[in-house]
Amino acid sequence: MHYFNESVVQGIQIQTLLKSTDIDGKDVIFYTDLANRLEKTLGLVLNLKDLYYLYGKTTYCFTKDERRYILDRIANTSQMLKQIAANDFEINLSGDEKDIRIRESQNIAAFRDRVDRLLAFLETSLHIFK
């Protein structure tokens, strides 16, 4: 739920930036990409939440196949999260700029840190399904 809440806050900030005149056309591409990644990861997180909820309600009656299904779903979701976070962001630098602007780098760092924390949670909690 922390991931969900933090992502929603970042998404609202991005939508505010996209509506403002503080950014130029090149930045719109970056923030649209980031917003799309947030949306994809939020969908994945909600699926994970459902899996953990179902497991919590029915731990006593899982068969081997059902347990394997849940483990496969979690592994697939984890892999998709890793792919989304690992893809490079397209940041258009204007002129002779050599450094990524601070606002963009902070958004990238916050996004990747949040995904890393979620992946760490998945790794540590995966043993409950086994």
Side-chain angles (χ1 to χ4, degrees):
M1 286 312 296
H2 291 291
Y3 185 92
F4 182 83
N5 293 335
E6 291 173 8
S7 293
V8 168
V9 168
Q10 188 176 19
I12 290 170
Q13 291 170 346
I14 290 169
Q15 292 303 319
T16 303
L17 275 172
L18 287 172
K19 291 177 184 175
S20 74
T21 58
D22 286 351
I23 61 174
D24 58 13
K26 295 175 184 177
D27 292 334
V28 170
I29 294 170
F30 167 76
Y31 285 111
T32 303
D33 180 26
L34 183 57
N36 289 337
R37 291 179 195 216
L38 283 170
E39 189 175 323
K40 287 177 188 176
T41 60
L42 282 173
L44 294 172
V45 166
L46 290 175
N47 286 335
L48 284 172
K49 181 185 162 291
D50 290 345
L51 288 174
Y52 278 76
Y53 177 78
L54 287 173
Y55 181 80
K57 293 294 183 186
T58 59
T59 55
Y60 58 89
C61 64
F62 271 136
T63 65
K64 277 186 169 182
D65 290 337
E66 291 168 329
R67 188 171 286 122
R68 190 176 320 119
Y69 170 76
I70 288 178
L71 289 170
D72 288 345
R73 288 272 313 264
I74 291 173
N76 289 341
T77 302
S78 179
Q79 187 62 32
M80 290 190 317
L81 285 168
K82 287 176 186 175
Q83 284 179 330
I84 291 169
N87 288 341
D88 289 332
F89 285 89
E90 184 176 329
I91 299 177
N92 296 312
L93 302 175
S94 59
D96 295 327
E97 272 185 56
K98 299 212 192 260
D99 295 328
I100 298 172
R101 291 189 280 191
I102 293 172
R103 184 172 53 196
E104 283 83 355
S105 62
Q106 288 173 340
N107 275 296
I108 292 171
F111 173 74
R112 288 195 171 140
D113 177 57
R114 190 176 314 113
V115 171
D116 289 343
R117 286 183 296 158
L118 178 63
L119 290 170
F121 168 76
L122 289 176
E123 288 296 320
T124 58
S125 67
L126 202 57
H127 73 279
I128 66 170
F129 293 103
K130 295 180 181 179

